[in-house]
Amino acid sequence: MPRTRIAALGHHQPDHVLTNDDLAGMVDTSDEWIRQRTGIATRRIARDESVADLAAAAAGKALAAAGLDPADIGLVTVATCSAQDRCPSIAAQVAGRLGVPAAVAFDLNNGCAGFTTALATADHALRAGAARHALVIGAEKMSDVTDWTDRSTCVLLGDGAGAAVVSAGEGGGDGRDGIGPVVWGSDPTRGDAVRLRGAWQPRFAQEGQTVFRWATTELVPLIERTCQEAGTTPRELGGIVTHQANLRIIEALVRRLGVEDTVVARDVVDSGNTSAASVPLAFSKLVERRAIEPGAPVLLFSFGGGLSWAGQVVACP
């Protein structure tokens, strides 16, 4: 069975920066209040860009970085929960814009866990021989589903996209050599803790304390299992990229895992919570800065609405 690997990454964010002070002029909040509770300082807001625009921009950069032609791509999938377009899919729109011919193209909605779920889905498809190269994209325009009068949620969310080119090769593989086994699942008994319900226009809502307690108490064993499945341990990782929901959650996971000296993504400070885009966006930035050694094992782990989770260890491109 062929191994798979992330060949290249790309990301895109809107130009407009919304600061905490800007939000303080819109709702009853302050920079200090937001930083203490979330760690967020700024987020990007798309004014004239759609989810498809964000996704295509990130995917085009990843494709160029991989040195592939659009005709090489056999699968395109976009993880998103904020797209207004139901059909054609965002993935089909991205394929059309990039000139990708005849690829299978579909969107995947698993909330904030969407990208790592989509990455595992593409990994399985490539290992089965359904394609040689895939574009896996996480793209969100959360500003479209934000209640700008609710200070508990409007301070959290941002827009952006990240993309990965996934390629099949020869030989075996694990998180040190390619894409390791996925650990994924959900707890639907707490599905209402993060919500995006109703006819369009829906609004994002969540039970913040429920999500915080769940993430900081129940995710560590799942992360440790993800590493075990890949034949490594948290302390042996070259980098950790979790869903960028809240800096307090990230720091709590770092402490419980004992990985204070590991490169850990903290892009939430600058980008806010970009849902399914957060993991590929943060990972792409770390790779662009060469913060992680090429080939080093990197944990990708996302979680959110469902309550769902998905993670795998991958070799850094």
Side-chain angles (χ1 to χ4, degrees), residues 36-50:
Q36 285 182 348
R37 287 161 178 79
T38 71
I40 299 170
T42 61
R43 69 285 295 146
R44 300 292 187 96
I45 302 298
R47 289 174 163 173
D48 301 317
E49 293 174 286
S50 66

Side-chain angles (χ1 to χ4, degrees), residues 220-236:
V220 166
L222 295 171
I223 289 173
E224 291 174 336
R225 180 181 156 203
T226 303
C227 293
Q228 183 180 12
E229 290 287 336
T232 189
T233 68
R235 292 178 182 271
E236 293 176 306

Side-chain angles (χ1 to χ4, degrees), residues 137-155:
I137 307 157
E140 301 281 19
K141 188 176 180 182
M142 297 304 291
S143 59
D144 271 351
V145 297
T146 299
D147 180 353
W148 293 103
T149 67
D150 178 9
R151 75 167 186 170
S152 68
T153 58
C154 74
V155 302

